Amino acid sequence: HNPGYVMLGASMLWVGWFGFNAGSQLAANGNAGITLLVTHISACAASLSWALYEYYKHGRASLVGLVTGTIAGLATITPASGSVTPVEAFIIGSVAGIVCQEMCSVVKNKFKLDDSLDVFAVHGMGGLLGILLLAPLGSIEFGGMGYSEVSILQQFKIQIIGSIAIAVWSGVMSYIILITLKNTIGIRISEKEEEIGLDQSSHAERAYLWRKH
């Protein structure tokens, strides 16, 4: 409800993502340093491409849109953060800001899904995009073979198979968790509690105390 708070939260995520990606190197070395750098570059590029594309489409750019682009850049670079150069990270982030923004429209307008935080469009699509862009842009090994020994088409195939495996695993496990919660503590509140608000109905407190004049 407050763009300033949205920016503050996104900034915390931005800083935290450095530890998330660079920490995956399990060492304080050059690899961790370059991973941190490409993470930052992708986030910056996606922030700008999202804002510019939003301005192109709607004639204005928003703060909430810009920081959503930041998260899109962070999510998209994550699969590739240990395997790309700064230039490639800039390309990944720039593409992410546009593709994830379009995916937000598809999820909400075409599929009519109430994804209030754009989780699938930004994290899901961004993660998938990062996995696939790793094929033409990254530098990794496949089954002991060097990057140059595997064609881009073969790399795409490997990445697609891996993406499908991840999607199936995540879907099945999420469904199990959802059914378990539904049959135990429930996954929805009552309409009355929703109308009152969870601050009041669940915690007996209010975020804001409005005074009548």
Side-chain angles (χ1 to χ4, degrees):
H1 72 289
N2 186 316
Y5 285 169
V6 174
M7 181 65 192
L8 180 62
S11 298
M12 292 178 179
L13 276 173
W14 196 336
V15 174
W17 222 287
F18 294 150
F20 181 56
N21 280 357
S24 297
Q25 296 293 340
L26 302 179
N29 54 21
N31 289 335
I34 193 68
T35 300
L36 190 154
L37 177 62
V38 299
T39 297
H40 188 57
I41 289 174
S42 177
C44 293
S47 300
L48 293 175
S49 67
W50 185 296
L52 289 172
Y53 190 56
E54 189 177 38
Y55 185 83
Y56 169 76
K57 286 174 50 178
H58 306 294
R60 53 104 182 109
S62 66
L63 176 64
V64 174
L66 185 144
V67 298
T68 304
T70 302
I71 306 305
L74 292 169
T76 305
I77 194 60
T78 296
S81 60
S83 308
V84 295
T85 66
V87 172
E88 292 163 342
F90 178 81
I91 295 172
I92 289 174
S94 299
V95 173
I98 297 173
V99 172
C100 292
Q101 186 174 162
E102 279 298 308
M103 196 62 189
C104 287
S105 299
V106 170
V107 170
K108 292 179 178 178
N109 300 326
K110 185 174 182 179
F111 295 111
K112 306 297 182 183
L113 297 177
D114 184 20
D115 188 0
S116 58
L117 296 177
D118 298 317
V119 175
F120 178 78
V122 173
H123 293 266
M125 189 62 199
L128 177 62
L129 183 63
I131 291 172
L132 297 180
L133 288 177
L134 188 54
L137 298 177
S139 177
I140 54 180
E141 291 187 357
F142 296 95
M145 293 183 292
Y147 178 75
S148 60
E149 301 174 67
V150 184
S151 69
I152 292 180
L153 188 60
Q154 288 175 303
Q155 294 170 45
F156 264 123
K157 182 180 178 180
I158 293 169
Q159 299 300 80
I160 289 172
I161 292 173
S163 299
I164 293 172
I166 292 170
V168 171
W169 168 261
S170 300
V172 170
M173 296 306 297
S174 296
Y175 181 76
I176 293 173
I177 293 170
L178 182 66
I179 293 300
T180 301
L181 291 176
K182 182 178 180 180
N183 293 320
T184 52
I185 63 174
I187 57 174
R188 287 299 302 253
I189 60 174
S190 67
E191 291 186 8
K192 182 179 180 180
E193 289 176 315
E194 187 174 352
E195 182 68 27
I196 295 172
L198 293 181
D199 287 340
Q200 181 67 24
S201 62
S202 297
H203 307 291
E205 59 188 11
R206 295 181 183 275
Y208 302 97
L209 296 176
W210 300 103
R211 295 182 178 180
K212 293 182 179 181
H213 296 281

